[in-house]
Each structure stands twice: as C-alpha cells, then as structure tokens.
Amino acid sequence: MKLNIEGLLVYFPYDYIYPEQYSYMLELKRTLDAKGHGVLEMPSGTGKTISLLSLIVAYQKAYPLEVTKLIYCSRTVPEIEKVVEELRKLMEFYTKETGEKNNFLALALSSRKNLCIHPEVSSLRFGKEVDGKCHSLTASYIRAQHHSNPSQPVCRFYEEFDAVGRQVPIPSGIYNLDDLKDFGRKKGWCPYYLARYSILHANIVVYSYHYLLDPKIADLVSKELAKKSVVVFDEAHNIDNVCIDSMSVNITRRTLDRCQTNVDTLQNTIQRIKETDAAKLREEYRRLVEGLKEANVARETDIYLSNPVLPDEVLQEAIPGSIRTAEHFVGFLKRFLEYLKARLRIHHVVQESSPQFLKDIYEKVCIDRKPLRFCAERLRSLLRTLEIADIADFSPITLISHFATLVSTYSKGFTIIIEPFEDKTPTIANPVLHFSCMDPSIAIKPVFERFQSVVITSGTLSPLDIYPRILDFRPVTMASFTMTLARTCLCPLIVGRGNDQVAMSSKFETREDFAVIRNYGNLLLEMSAIVPDGIVAFFTSYVYMENIVASWYEQGILENIQRNKLIFIETPDAAETSMALEKYQEACENGRGAILLSVARGKVSEGIDFVHHFGRAVIMFGVPYVYTQSRILKARLEYLRDQFQIRENDFLTFDAMRHAAQCVGRAIRGKTDYGLMIFADKRYARADKRGKLPRWIQEHISDGSLNLTIDETVQLSKHFLRQMAQPFRREDQLGLSLLTLEQLQSEEMLEKISQIAQQA
Amino acid sequence: MDDQGCPRCKTTKYRNPSLKLMVNVCGHTLCENCVDMLFVRGSGNCVQCDTPLRKSNFRLQLFEDPAIDKEVEIRKRVLKIYNKRDFDFSSLREYNDYLEQVEEIVYNLTNNVDVERTKQIMEQYQRENRDVIQRNKVKLTREQEELEEILLLEQQDTEQRRLETLQEEQRQLQAKRKNKQALLDELERSQLPASILLAQHKDRAAQLETQIEKQKQSVKPTTIFSTGIPKGQTVSLAPVIRVEEVLYKYQPINVETYGPPLPELEQLDRLGYLNHVRTATPQDLAGGYTSELACHRALQDAFSGLFTSLV
C-alpha cells in the first residue's frame, strides 16, 4: 500500500499495516527531518525492520540530497540476511508499483570467511585463518613479487577485481551474501573486496556492528562513508557492551609467551633483511623521519571516521626518535614485554589507573608515554616493511601494541586490573591483566559526531533515558511503542511464593535454600503439565543452573517432569547447545513436548527465537544480575556514578531487567503468537524492578498478577491457554491491530495511533 | 617462569621457591647463595664472561630476561646524562634526532658494540653540556608533569570521596542515635501511652530513612569553577612552546578592473572632475566626507568593466 507520512509518500510492501508501524514511521521521519539521533523501542515481532526500511528508502527517494545512504547495523549473519530479504521484497514492490526499473544498490557485507570464493582459502574453518591466508595472497608486496616471479601464488579473484572491477560499478540491485558470491563467481572477482569497494556508492549497506564500532576495523572499512548517512543500530539493547568490548584488552601469560616468539621472529627477520635487502629498512626509516605522512595524506579530506585509538593530533606528529629504527623498536617491545611479565608475577589483585601505570613503567623500564602512543602505528609499519605474509601469527603482539597505544592515549575512562588467579580457582595461578574500558561513549562518539542521524532501536530499551546517558549523546526523539493487540496474547505473571508460602527468590542468601529450590522445581513441574509443546526456562547463571538441576534430581522432581516433557540443557559449549536446540525443536514438532533449560545472557537468550509452539511459556528463575563481585564491574559502576551520576543499584537493576525482558521476549514473535511469561522471583513485584520492564510488557501486568503462589499461577495460566487456543483469524485482527489503507485514514484511528508512542 | 634457575648451582625456582636471582652489570645471573660464596672478598669475575665485578653492584633480578635488567641499568645511567627536554630544541625533528642518538648509545652499550668509542662520546657530551645537564636534573619532562598532575587530581578525588562517605555515615549514625535517645527520653517523661510513642518513633525513623535516601540521590557538589578550571588546580610550569614562523609581509593588492585607468584621488580637482559634483557642506566635512571620495567612487563604478566584451 502507499502511505502518506506527514507529506512523504511511502511504499509499504504489504496490504495491511500495524498501527504501531505507522506510528513508528512518524517518529522516524521526525528524527530524519531534524537531522538528529533517535532512540526507539518497539516490541519484537511487530515489523520494525520493514517499517524502518520502507520509511528510510522513501526518504532517500524523496530527498536524495539530504540522505544519501542508509547504514543498517545488525548483530549476526542470519539477521543480516533477514534484513536483505525484507529489502528485496520492498524493492520488488517498488518496481511493481512504479513500473520503472530501480537504480537502487543495496548490499550486505560480512567477513572474508562468509564471502570468500577462493577454493583453498574458503575451505578453512576459522575466520582468523581465512583472513591470514587471504592476506598472504593479496598483500601488495606479494603481488609485487608475483610480477617478477610468476610462481609466487596470488589470488586470481582479487587480481581480476583489481584489474577491472573498480572501473565498472556493480549493477544496481539487492545483493545478499550469496548473491555477491554468485556475482563474484560469474565475473571472477573477489566478492569481499568488491563489497568493500561498493559500499562507498551503495544506497544501502547492511553489516555488523563491529564495522562501525570497533576502531580497528572501522578505520579500514567504514572511514569513507559519507556524512549524510542514516545509521541504524538494530537490536541495540546491548550496544554499550559491544562498545566496551571493542576497546578493552585482556592479556594473559600465554599471550605474553606468544608475543615473545613474535618478537624473536621479528628480530630474526630484521637481521636477515639487513643482510639481504638493507635498502628496504632504510626506506622505511626515511619515511618515518618525514613523519606519518602517509596517514596524513589520507586524512586530509577529513570527513573520515576519526579513529579513537589514535587521535588526530598524534597523527600530525612524527614517530618519536627512540623507536625510529627497527632494532630500537624491537628493543622497546622487549622491554615493554618484560615489564608486563614482571607485572603479571603478582600474588594479590592490583587495580590502577592509566596514569599510575605510565608512571610506573617509566620508573621501571624508562619507557616514555610518547613512544607507547605510537606503538601500534610503528608495529604496523614494521610488519609491512618486513613483508610478513602471515599476519594472523602476529595477533598477540598486535594486541599488545594496541594496549600500549590505548593506555598512553586515554587517561580517563579506563582502568587496569591485574588478577593473579580466576575467582573460581583461587589456588591455580593464572594471572590476567584486564585493561578495561568503562565508558562506552568513547567508542561510539565518532559515530554520533560523524553521521547526521543515528537511530538506536530494539524491542527492549527500557528505561529509554539511560541509553543517552551512558552513550553520552542527545537524541531528538525518544519513544516507546506498545503492541496493539486484538487479544491479549502475552500473559506476564510474577510468581513470588510457593504453595507453602515460602518466598521464592534467587537472592544470594536464599540461593542454597532447599525450600526455594523445591518450589522452583514444583513450578516447573506444574507448568510442564499444563503448557502444550515447548517451555523455555532461564536461570541466572550456569553455576546456579547446575546446582538446581542437581538437587532437583536428588528430590526426584526431574523424573516427574520427564513424564510430561523431555528436558534439554544449554551448556557453554556452542556445538552442544545447537545440538540440544535442534532436538528440542524436534520434540516440539512431533508433539512430545520439551523443556529447554538455559541461561540468561547465554547464546539462547540473545539470538534464538521461539515462535509459536516452540515457546508457549518462558519461565525466568530469579533476577539475572551480573556477577557483582567482579572487579571490572565494580570499577565500571564507580565510574558511572562519578561521571554520569548513575547509581550502582540503578544500573545493576537496569542491566538485569533488560536481560530478563530479552529472555521472556523470546516467546512472542508476532501478533498471532502467544505465550506465558513467568517471572519467578518475588523481587519482580517491586515497583523499581517492574518499572524498568519495557512498556509493552508492563502494560499487561495487573495487580492481580503480582506475587502469586504456584497454585494461582497454574489457575491463571490454564485460563489464559484455553482462551488463546481458540482459532484466531485475520478478520479478528482487522481494524484493531491490523489496518487496511482505508481504516488507517479514518480520523478515529489516527487519534488512537497518536497515543501509541510514548515520548520519554 | 618456574624454569628460571641459577646457571652455576643449577637450582631452579621450581625446586626452591624462595630462590633469589641477582644480576650484575654484565647481564649474567647468579643466585644469592652463589653470590655470597663467590664474592666473599667483595669482588671477583663473572662466571660466564669473566668481567671483573663488585659484589655491591649485584641487584635483584626484576625481569625474566637478565639482558633487560642490564639494559635498564645502562639506560638509567645514560638518561642521567642525556636529560635534554623537548623544549631545549627548536624543532621536533631535532629532538627526535637527539632521541635516536640516545637510543643508539644505549643499544651499543647493551650489545657491546663499540663500547669504548661510545663511552668517549658520552664523556665528551657530558663535558660539553655540563650546565644543561645540571639545570635539567630537577626538571621533569612535560609529559611526566602532566601525569603527575593527573595523578594528583585522582588522589584528591578519591580522598574527597572517602571523606564524604565517611562524613555521611557519621551523620547518619548520629541522627539515628539521637532519634533513639529521644525515644528513651520521651518514654521516661511523657504522659502519652507507650504504644503511641513507639509509633511516633517509627514514623520518625522512616522519615530519616527517606531523607538519607534522598541525600544519596542528590548530585554531588561541583568541583570546578564555571570557567571549567578545576578548583585548586596546579599549574604546569613547562615553558610555552616557541612558535617559529616567517613574519607577515604586506603586499599591495592589484585589482584588475577591465577598464581605462582611473585618475589619482589627488588629481581629480586639477583635472576638473570635481566641477560636476556637489561640493561638500561643512557638516559633511565634519563627518569625514569629501567630494573627492564620492567622485572617485563614481568614476570607479563607471570605468570598471568597460573593456569586457559580452559573449
């Protein structure tokens, strides 16, 4: 259908539209009009993706000078593929309606592992190996050697692409990863480099968060994207953790040992090159004396995504004299390495700030701040000069060099924690140096500064105001949308007590309590008897799950449950988990019914959808707080309090509730779907916890569903399930939660729609 | 790390966890016992390289690679002499060259390349730059100064935070104690029944709690002035960097008018142009207006662009 969104003609590829989609598009358009950033929360399964795409594409078509590009960031490869499919549908609709050929170019970009078509390289299993092998075939000096010595192997796809691929732009259309590969095979071009080159003039780019947020990758891939782009972060409820991870470094004893071998290799290679080809080193030296000229030239056009690892003023300067020659630099690395080794040889935990670290390193091994800052840049230059083909081998030393650069560049927002052993095994020495970023805004700042509109959206972003605070930006729109429903298809229940009136809670003091564990078991047992098909249960941690399942086994509860349903368990091992998941789905399919025991923050809770009969009930055992004793977390909380005035408890509750919401949200993936959401902890009944759930869940929690006993829960659930099991047709939804164009245009409906969005 | 051992008596850290390894100027290791035994007289030769050593020069080995210990030792000695700062140089390039030279010296001394010659260079440098070295001894580099400043601020912050929480706790404790005392007093003196008094006390206690809670939420006082300068800041004493640039030189602008040349401002009267212009009244003249100016301006307008041809 064709919609009129405040004067903008939007093509929407379906015949019906949800009212909240319309409202979502309104808000989105206002954000784009204001050229500002937005935070939008809309329940999963209400067609966020297609609303986003159709509005932004329409906007691009209407104002081609205002918005030139859409950068759509998603988390996983399947999600990326899903987005491209939706986009394809939209474009087909455009061609059908307007009858003219589209000149839109949209493509997905992923790592080499997913895009490589070289027969040898693509058969490798790990991403790192693929990257390394690819580099060893396509590096500039390898190709130069190939010129003089044709027996040196190179990648023919890249050669072909390099020879002709850049002149002719890729024909317009929609390309997912497979399409790119097919196109590459047909032409004999490397799809990866083709995609990387083509994103510069594509209208829509779909790729993973890391291409924009991780400074090491963003500098390579995304730095030339135009300012007039709209950036969308989908499923962004975890964006702060992504930011933090991309700037943090963990160094173990093993890393250092491997670094030592790296340094030795470097030294030997330098020795060898000096004997055979000293001119090369002299050339590099001359270049470094001149300053980081290369980098400067590339940066002159300025609209590049600035690299938070190396601030611009540093790049203006020349590399300090003390690490200019290769031998001196290797000596410098050696000293730095030995210093780190000495620091790791401790028997108690040390926490210090970057300035303290810098002072100490000067006193111990006479390393100044400035050469440290240039460490990453210098290492890159050296690796290039030495023509080392297999970069993958040098990842430990690269990691160390990044650490050196970061620690000397930022005096705030980072902390260094050295732990002599893991918390679980205090007797085994396993020293780790955590260089941990506490301020997610550092990594994301260039994105907000650079692009005119950044939209953060997800099903669970509540409370909305905390994201602008921790990411340090000023949104022009913040809105939360509810789900309009023809029937209440979700039923959140907060179970606080067992039948014996003992309070249920995963709180630390009652964690080992027999009564609590038994009550949890009874709850699951009762539910397994009344809920059809699949139940997903989430625990707060693997350890807690193990304890509970063990005592359920002893109490015989497990046996009783198995009479009703099969039980599957998620483990930290990915292969095992996907096996369990497969079998779980099989058991749901054939009607045997199954229970999946999994962990909040685990793989299942983040990426797997349990549509329809795969998840008729979700039970959340306890409140999924993070492990609060971890020193990194403590440091971060302290930082949040001092810098952003966010109290520890607020943040912890916020973090726990967003994960709880994420878990229970797995069950409802659309309006025809239905599911129970059971929060099994009495603490959920408190206003401060409940208030942090997303609005679309909160709305359905009435006073009657607070602090229930198991019996009451069973009663309510039975009632709910019986109601939901009645046939449900499209006609029932029409006019209420599903609209045709005429219905949408009625005054009354527009009035209703304006109430869907709640501005924060 | 456990396979480190003494090369002479072959004891390792694994077998004797309290083993202490020592390093001397030559960069070779010995354990503490061996040092005591071999260097009873205070001096002797290194077991591995026969360098004459003194017992007093033995230091505890900090790093796993004794060569690093040796290098750091040498580096510290060299840096005591080569202590020029970046503001002693007129350009960054010179400073970098200087840094490289220092690095070269350290490298040579550690790897025993041209030791004699390097030592000579060092001595010569020391003689030539005696007063600079003396002067710089007390000064820190600018970066170190910055670091010191940040550290100082950090210390102040943590100290202040600690004091604040301490005071807060004290205040709360006192308030609670006072409340309790008040209850006891009232129970002693008042005529009201005890249950009412207890209820009142409970009320007050609850109020106190909410008050405390509220205080916790309030934003802490600012520590910076409105200009953004923190209160009690220590000012860096490093001199301002000299900016060396070529002085600005004025060059008259030459405007291409595409028209016939204009008469000079002074010549207007003589050439009779002014006859066609209104003469300035005394009021106009007071404001700085002269008829020449207006006339000249009008001529400019008229002449410019006369030669341009329409395409």
Side-chain angles (χ1 to χ4, degrees), chain A residues 190-208:
Chain A
C190 170
Y192 174 76
Y193 281 99
L194 176 70
R196 251 179 67 176
Y197 173 71
S198 304
I199 60 171
L200 294 183
H201 54 259
N203 300 85
I204 299 178
V205 183
V206 186
Y207 58 32
S208 139

Side-chain angles (χ1 to χ4, degrees), chain B residues 4-16:
Chain B
Q4 276 185 303
C6 171
R8 187 169 168 276
C9 61
K10 312 293 183 202
T11 324
T12 62
K13 272 235 162 116
Y14 180 70
R15 274 183 279 167
N16 177 12

Side-chain angles (χ1 to χ4, degrees), chain A residues 253 257 260 267 271 274 285 289-290 317-325 327-328 331-332 334-335 338-339 341-342 345 347 353-356 358-359 362-371 373 411-412 638 641-642 645 647, chain B residues 1 4 13 61-68 71-72 75-76 79 85-86 92-93 95-108 141 143-144 146-148 150-151 154-155 157-158 161 165 213 216-220:
Chain A
R253 178 70 210 190
D257 286 341
Q260 188 68 53
Q267 199 166 18
Q271 211 46 259
K274 232 179 163 182
Y285 172 77
V289 173
E290 292 298 312
E317 269 184 37
I319 288 221
S322 47
I323 54 171
R324 244 173 4 197
T325 62
E327 290 101 337
H328 294 169
F332 166 86
K334 265 192 189 163
R335 258 181 301 146
E338 284 298 329
Y339 172 76
K341 276 187 191 167
R345 218 164 38 216
H347 300 289
S353 62
S354 329
Q356 276 167 329
L358 290 178
K359 194 174 170 198
Y362 182 75
E363 278 164 9
K364 291 270 167 61
V365 285
C366 305
I367 290 184
D368 268 325
R369 186 176 182 177
K370 207 162 152 202
R373 203 180 276 180
S411 55
K412 266 198 153 180
E638 204 165 286
R641 190 189 57 207
D642 291 348
Q645 274 82 45
R647 289 187 306 159
Chain B
M1 136 184 172
Q4 276 185 303
K13 272 235 162 116
Q61 184 183 341
L62 276 176
F63 306 103
E64 271 166 40
D65 185 357
I68 301 290
E71 191 191 333
V72 170
R75 188 175 291 273
K76 281 186 177 154
L79 284 184
R85 311 293 181 225
D86 50 352
L92 192 68
R93 177 124 181 203
Y95 179 56
N96 277 335
D97 289 342
Y98 162 80
L99 281 181
E100 191 183 333
Q101 193 193 340
V102 175
E103 202 64 33
E104 194 64 48
I105 290 168
V106 174
Y107 185 82
N108 284 349
T141 64
E143 307 227 305
Q144 280 165 335
E146 265 172 36
L147 275 186
E148 290 291 333
I150 297 170
L151 277 178
E154 239 172 51
Q155 253 173 22
D157 273 2
T158 42
R161 217 178 300 141
T165 42
E213 192 61 17
K216 269 188 198 162
Q217 280 186 32
S218 67
V219 182
K220 58 180 179 133

